[in-house]
Amino acid sequence: MTPASIGRTAAFLAAACAASGAFALEPDVLFARVSPAVWTVRTLDAQERPLRTGSAVVIAPGRLVTACHVLAKAASFVIRQDNVTYGATLEHPDVERDLCQIRVANFNAAPVPLAPAGAARVGQKAYLVGSPRGVENTLGETMLTGLRGEDGDDRQLQLAAVLAAGASGGGLFDAEGRLLGITSAAGRDPGAPGFAVPADFVPEIPARAQAALAQRPRGVVRTAAAGAAPASALTAPLRPGDGLEFQRVDCLTGNRSTVVYRVDRVTGDEVIFNMGGRVEKTDGRVVSVTSPAGGTYDASSPPGGWGRKDLKPGMRWHLDYVAATGDKWRHELDATVVAERTMRIDGVDLNVVQIDYAGWIYASYGTGASPVGTPFKASAWYARDLGRVVRFEAEHRRGNSSSSNEALELVRVLR
């Protein structure tokens, strides 16, 4: 065989191998290739305190995918790599498969290629890239030990490796640097094998998220000419994909922000909002608040919430409770139902009852120190037809140099 023919044969074999994806990369080369597309996710509560960490993988310009449970209870979140941080927003949630697509503005990191559907096979070597325990961009080697769920929505890739806390949302790559799956450690017992959601589910996220939003009552489509929806559309029971949009105002600075409580699912007589950050009964009673997205409205919420349907002017009662979230301070408040009135919400006139709260908050509760109270007062306007508070105002004076004064008002019901 002549040198020329040897060269042609080598070139042919190289091209054939490239076409078939048969070139395995050395681990250091693979890591250098894919790690720029794997970012750490850090979630924050309403006071911008850290909640948890995870990872996300770039799948398109300005788009990343993470495990939905990484974002649970977060009021906001950022992605981070080295010393660079970007604010991010949730774009398309596919809660059933635990895959959430997030959007980052002015973000140009290159996406990773996806492995073809069905490329995963038991026994193949694979690589984990993520941020376990918050340690950014860590490389790990594992093996696929099982394909679970066959072709259903619960299909998963079982791994030999045990996933550490914070590893969820990272990338599982084959030896050629193609994305096989998004890692998930949700609900696993310590020491249990890790799992990954197959990467061929990723392109389906937007359509599945939109389909979930479509599972709601079909009411009047509103336009500028048509005006507001009728009261029946406003007060219809909440369905998965619906949302409650509030406007939050800092009355000291005038700053405004939008707060949305999005319905993830309805289970029995409970409505779950914002990845479990808020849970209500279908009649509006508050079961739990673990993420105070609404500021004081959530952080100081009494058991059951700020209002209920059986209230009448003149009613009074006393509350002594420790808030379940936020700073978890003790509250001693006296409540009085002062009046009924009409309030216009999303173009619809609703009858509301006003409840005034006044008392003290004890920040040192549970520390063993003598509690020193600071004054607190609030007013809540509760709409019986909606089964919820539609406006809330609160003022808390912590001292001469520290106080809060804010309002939260329902703007519209998103259906």
Side-chain angles (χ1 to χ4, degrees):
M1 183 177 290
T2 66
S5 62
I6 293 175
R8 287 193 298 270
T9 301
F12 172 81
L13 292 175
C17 289
S20 64
F23 280 129
L25 302 174
E26 291 296 325
D28 58 335
V29 175
L30 181 144
F31 181 76
R33 179 174 296 182
V34 304
S35 60
V38 183
W39 289 64
T40 300
V41 176
R42 297 183 184 274
T43 64
L44 309 168
D45 66 13
Q47 284 75 43
E48 296 190 350
R49 294 173 297 197
L51 291 175
R52 66 192 305 172
T53 61
S55 300
V57 181
V58 182
I59 50 93
R63 303 295 190 273
L64 300 89
V65 168
T66 186
C68 288
H69 71 269
V70 171
L71 308 180
K73 306 176 184 178
S76 62
F77 62 97
V78 300
I79 63 168
R80 176 184 174 89
Q81 190 177 103
D82 297 328
N83 294 320
V84 179
T85 301
Y86 290 88
T89 57
L90 176 62
E91 185 174 43
H92 297 301
D94 184 353
V95 178
E96 186 176 7
R97 287 177 170 174
D98 197 24
L99 290 176
C100 277
Q101 181 173 307
I102 62 179
R103 180 178 182 274
V104 181
N106 303 315
F107 181 75
N108 299 314
V112 296
L114 304 185
R121 62 189 187 280
V122 175
Q124 80 176 99
K125 183 186 293 185
Y127 295 90
L128 300 161
V129 180
S131 301
R133 306 188 191 282
V135 181
E136 292 185 10
N137 268 5
T138 299
L139 175 67
E141 184 178 310
T142 188
M143 176 188 296
L144 267 61
T145 57
L147 306 177
R148 306 304 178 197
E150 298 181 355
D151 295 326
D153 286 343
D154 60 347
R155 180 158 50 94
Q156 291 186 320
L157 311 178
Q158 182 176 320
L159 312 177
V162 175
L163 298 180
S168 290
L172 176 72
F173 297 91
D174 65 15
E176 300 157 49
R178 302 177 302 181
L179 186 67
L180 284 170
I182 301 296
T183 55
S184 175
R188 309 298 181 194
D189 295 329
F195 283 82
V197 183
D200 50 295
F201 284 169
V202 168
E204 301 174 7
I205 295 174
R208 287 175 57 87
Q210 292 167 10
L213 286 175
Q215 294 177 5
R216 61 190 188 276
R218 287 183 170 85
V220 173
V221 177
R222 286 175 288 178
T223 65
S232 59
L234 181 68
T235 59
L238 294 173
R239 298 281 299 274
D242 291 350
L244 303 170
E245 180 180 325
F246 286 81
Q247 186 76 203
R248 181 182 174 189
V249 181
D250 185 330
C251 300
L252 298 177
T253 65
N255 292 334
R256 295 174 177 268
S257 59
T258 299
V259 177
V260 176
Y261 298 93
R262 181 72 67 180
V263 179
D264 296 320
R265 62 186 185 279
V266 178
T267 304
D269 65 344
E270 291 189 347
V271 184
I272 292 85
F273 297 85
N274 295 0
M275 308 293 181
R278 183 180 183 88
V279 179
E280 297 180 359
K281 293 291 187 181
T282 51
D283 63 4
R285 286 177 295 151
V286 178
V287 177
S288 65
V289 178
T290 54
S291 177
T296 304
Y297 171 72
D298 288 331
S300 290
S301 178
W306 295 102
R308 58 180 188 268
K309 291 189 175 182
D310 61 349
L311 298 179
K312 297 180 180 179
M315 293 179 64
R316 299 174 181 268
W317 65 95
H318 179 74
L319 301 95
D320 187 343
Y321 63 95
V322 177
T325 187
D327 295 308
K328 299 185 178 180
W329 292 343
R330 179 186 174 192
H331 294 61
E332 284 195 9
L333 307 177
D334 290 309
T336 304
V337 182
V338 297
E340 289 188 77
R341 54 169 287 196
T342 299
M343 183 175 289
R344 196 168 184 81
I345 303 295
D346 200 11
V348 176
D349 291 328
L350 296 174
N351 292 323
V352 299
V353 59
Q354 179 182 341
I355 314 106
D356 286 350
Y357 296 85
W360 301 84
I361 292 179
Y362 298 92
S364 59
Y365 180 78
T367 65
S370 298
V372 177
T374 52
F376 175 88
K377 64 179 181 179
S379 294
W381 287 264
Y382 180 87
R384 295 188 184 93
D385 289 340
L386 283 180
R388 66 184 61 261
V389 170
V390 294
R391 181 172 175 83
F392 179 80
E393 298 175 356
E395 182 178 357
H396 180 205
R397 298 180 181 176
R398 300 183 182 91
N400 293 332
S401 60
S402 177
S403 62
S404 63
N405 188 341
E406 58 187 53
L408 188 78
E409 183 167 347
L410 180 64
V411 176
R412 57 178 176 158
V413 178
L414 305 170
R415 298 188 186 277

